[in-house]
Amino acid sequence: MTIAEAQRTTGIYPQEKRTDGESTDHLSLDIAVVGAGIIGIMTALGLLYAGHKVTVYERADDYYEVGAAMAFTGVARECMKQLNPSVLEALQRVGEANRHPMNRYWDGFSPTSKEAAQSEESLLFQQSARELDYTGCLRSVYLREMAKSLPEGVVKFGKSLKSYSEETESVELRFADGSVAQADAVIACDGIHSRTRRLLLGENNPASRPSFTHKVAYRAIIPITDSIAALGDDKANNQCAHMGPDAHALSFPVAQWTLSNVFVFLHDPKPWPDPHKMTLEVTKSEMIPSLSKWSPSMRELVEKMPEQVFKWAIFDMADHPANAYARGRVCLAGDAAHASSPFHGAGACMGVEDALALVSVLDRALSKASGSSKAEVVGAALQAYSAVRLERTQWLVRSSREMGEIYEWRYPATGSDPAKIKAEIESRSRQIWDFHVDRMVAEANTECDRRLKRLGKEDPVGGDYPISLAS
């Protein structure tokens, strides 16, 4: 079957509202996104904005996000803007930036009084907040705010992927409820325990499953007034990190500075009993012995947490990274591809970059290919995405795990030396914020061109005009 001179579907915005300078007069694709989390919905919005038909398949019965809060860097927000302006606008409506111009790192262990803990003497070091330029938000609130921009019927709930197969004309997805769907391409954003990853890489492949980092987090959201009582007004109203031996804490305001999101991280040398059950509800007394010698402020902050808190086992893909994020017309994005620990605060940001890279290469492949089958064109685009994203995302996963050790004075090269810790964090953070979004897109497009040339059927003119793709 040949599809000739087809135009893109309208998507969320009229075609003329594209702002990247590219014509939208191309063939559109029918794309399945697996997973309706933050990155899944964001990717869907980007694809719709580019004019593709999109269906999102979510195994839960409603939108569901694990974790209380998250933050996005300035780089991630630039990606959002290019992906679909509604993605950034949703964040701006529900997010908040750090009020203090510096990210400050405090000694949470040594001070013997609350007064000492709030004094400059307990400040280990500080870094400019301008470069990373975080905007924080509640995960579930942001997810639902983004989802308001989706056309009705795009998300299909209660769809748990069981298997897929690549047929001549499409990818066939089979779900646990017995239903079947077809798509030109599949983008899996189904999280750290991705079913699609296991199908794509193989059930027996170690890279198909995450590993325990030997870090656990106790998290709770408390009234900002309680955080002020424990930490003081200045610390409570800004992002604040406290370091110490075998533990560290992070707190920052959310919900327009009415609530404080509090994480207490502990090193846990024991194996985690059940990798499929990463969260437990426990009493806060469980963490008290590990913090019994910490400063009065930190012990009081724990006391302000509710009696029952969530304990989160932190898993990532550092031990067994995937050697590719795409096979054929199926690819992985976000945590499904490169689940990270939270110690860089940039795991979700990598997923935003993924989404923009994916939309870009699919656009490029459709605009540059002529005479190739749809399967070949989609495959070339997804392989280009994988090649461009592997190095940066897997560096982030490794570095983030090491950052957890740095914060807890367990990293041999830095120990508890504030100057060495600061230098190490600055060096690593620079790789996150000193990143050119347009360069990433250009590199992805170049890689896509290279793979299309392998097919021997690249459009030599490179014109943006309607094309014929043989399915």
Side-chain angles (χ1 to χ4, degrees), residues 410-427:
R410 295 176 50 83
Y411 192 64
T414 54
S416 59
D417 185 320
K420 292 181 179 179
I421 293 172
K422 179 183 180 181
E424 191 71 27
I425 293 176
E426 285 180 342
S427 174

Side-chain angles (χ1 to χ4, degrees), residues 26 38-39 69 86 93 95 139 143 193 213 218 222 232 273 278 282 285 332 339 342 361 373 381 419 452 455 460 464:
H26 299 314
I38 294 286
I39 302 304
S86 72
R93 287 193 294 271
R139 301 178 71 103
L143 175 59
H193 292 301
T213 65
Y218 298 83
I222 63 176
M278 294 167 53
V282 301
S285 61
L332 310 172
V361 293
S373 73
L452 289 169
L455 303 176
D464 292 313

Side-chain angles (χ1 to χ4, degrees), residues 140-173:
S140 59
V141 173
Y142 181 42
L143 175 59
R144 290 183 179 276
E145 190 67 23
M146 271 199 301
K148 292 176 183 178
S149 296
L150 289 171
E152 187 175 352
V154 166
V155 181
K156 308 293 185 186
F157 292 106
K159 295 293 181 182
S160 179
L161 183 66
K162 184 178 180 181
S163 64
Y164 71 81
S165 59
E166 294 202 48
E167 310 298 334
T168 302
E169 294 189 2
S170 65
V171 182
E172 182 172 283
L173 299 94

Side-chain angles (χ1 to χ4, degrees), residues 73-395:
T73 61
V75 168
R77 296 199 303 280
E78 174 59 28
C79 290
M80 293 176 185
K81 181 180 177 181
Q82 294 191 27
L83 188 66
N84 183 330
S86 72
V87 173
L88 179 58
E89 291 161 5
L91 179 63
Q92 291 170 335
R93 287 193 294 271
V94 302
E96 50 266 321
N98 205 37
R99 286 176 170 172
H100 200 279
M102 307 296 287
N103 289 326
R104 293 171 296 171
Y105 299 81
W106 301 81
D107 185 346
F109 179 73
S110 305
T112 57
S113 67
K114 289 175 63 175
E115 292 74 19
Q118 294 177 30
S119 72
E120 291 296 312
E121 293 181 0
S122 68
L123 179 63
L124 297 175
F125 58 90
Q126 57 185 345
Q127 296 175 297
S128 171
R130 179 174 55 85
E131 285 85 5
L132 287 170
D133 190 20
Y134 280 114
T135 294
C137 62
L138 293 173
R139 301 178 71 103
S140 59
V141 173
Y142 181 42
L143 175 59
R144 290 183 179 276
E145 190 67 23
M146 271 199 301
K148 292 176 183 178
S149 296
L150 289 171
E152 187 175 352
V154 166
V155 181
K156 308 293 185 186
F157 292 106
K159 295 293 181 182
S160 179
L161 183 66
K162 184 178 180 181
S163 64
Y164 71 81
S165 59
E166 294 202 48
E167 310 298 334
T168 302
E169 294 189 2
S170 65
V171 182
E172 182 172 283
L173 299 94
R174 293 175 287 274
F175 299 95
D177 63 2
S179 62
V180 177
Q182 282 79 34
D184 296 323
V186 177
I187 300 174
C189 306
D190 48 347
I192 189 168
H193 292 301
S194 170
R195 169 64 175 164
T196 317
R197 188 201 306 127
R198 299 200 302 275
L199 294 170
L200 188 143
L201 299 178
E203 287 282 356
N204 296 325
N205 188 333
S208 69
R209 288 174 172 80
S211 302
F212 184 41
T213 65
H214 294 285
K215 293 284 188 284
V216 295
Y218 298 83
R219 65 177 185 267
I221 292 180
I222 63 176
I224 196 74
T225 51
D226 286 348
S227 186
I228 291 171
L231 302 177
D233 186 80
D234 181 35
K235 285 186 178 182
N237 279 289
N238 292 283
Q239 179 176 304
C240 184
H242 287 88
M243 298 182 178
D246 294 327
H248 72 283
L250 178 68
S251 60
F252 51 90
V254 293
Q256 303 300 312
W257 290 274
T258 61
L259 301 172
S260 182
N261 191 48
V262 179
F263 292 87
V264 176
F265 299 93
L266 302 180
H267 181 72
D268 184 356
K270 303 182 298 297
W272 186 257
D274 184 358
H276 296 287
K277 190 173 183 180
M278 294 167 53
T279 57
L280 301 171
E281 192 170 9
V282 301
T283 61
K284 65 184 178 185
S285 61
E286 183 176 303
M287 71 182 101
I288 290 177
S290 298
L291 301 172
S292 62
K293 296 182 180 180
W294 279 53
S295 71
S297 289
M298 296 308 299
R299 296 200 304 270
E300 183 176 337
L301 185 66
V302 171
E303 287 299 321
K304 296 291 186 182
M305 297 169 75
E307 191 60 34
Q308 295 292 119
V309 297
F310 285 102
K311 179 181 181 180
W312 172 30
I314 300 173
F315 280 68
D316 68 13
M317 300 301 298
D319 288 345
H320 303 288
N323 63 359
Y325 297 155
R327 300 272 169 86
R329 289 165 281 171
V330 180
C331 75
L332 310 172
D335 282 355
H338 44 75
S340 172
S341 59
F343 304 123
H344 258 309
C349 300
M350 295 295 113
V352 184
E353 294 174 14
D354 288 350
L356 180 60
L358 276 165
V359 172
S360 300
V361 293
L362 288 168
D363 268 11
R364 184 70 168 191
L366 291 175
S367 69
K368 298 288 284 185
S370 179
S372 301
S373 73
K374 187 183 293 184
E376 288 176 323
V377 171
V378 169
L382 297 187
Q383 295 299 322
Y385 151 77
S386 176
V388 168
R389 295 299 297 157
L390 271 171
E391 182 178 355
R392 175 170 169 82
T393 55
Q394 293 186 359
W395 168 83

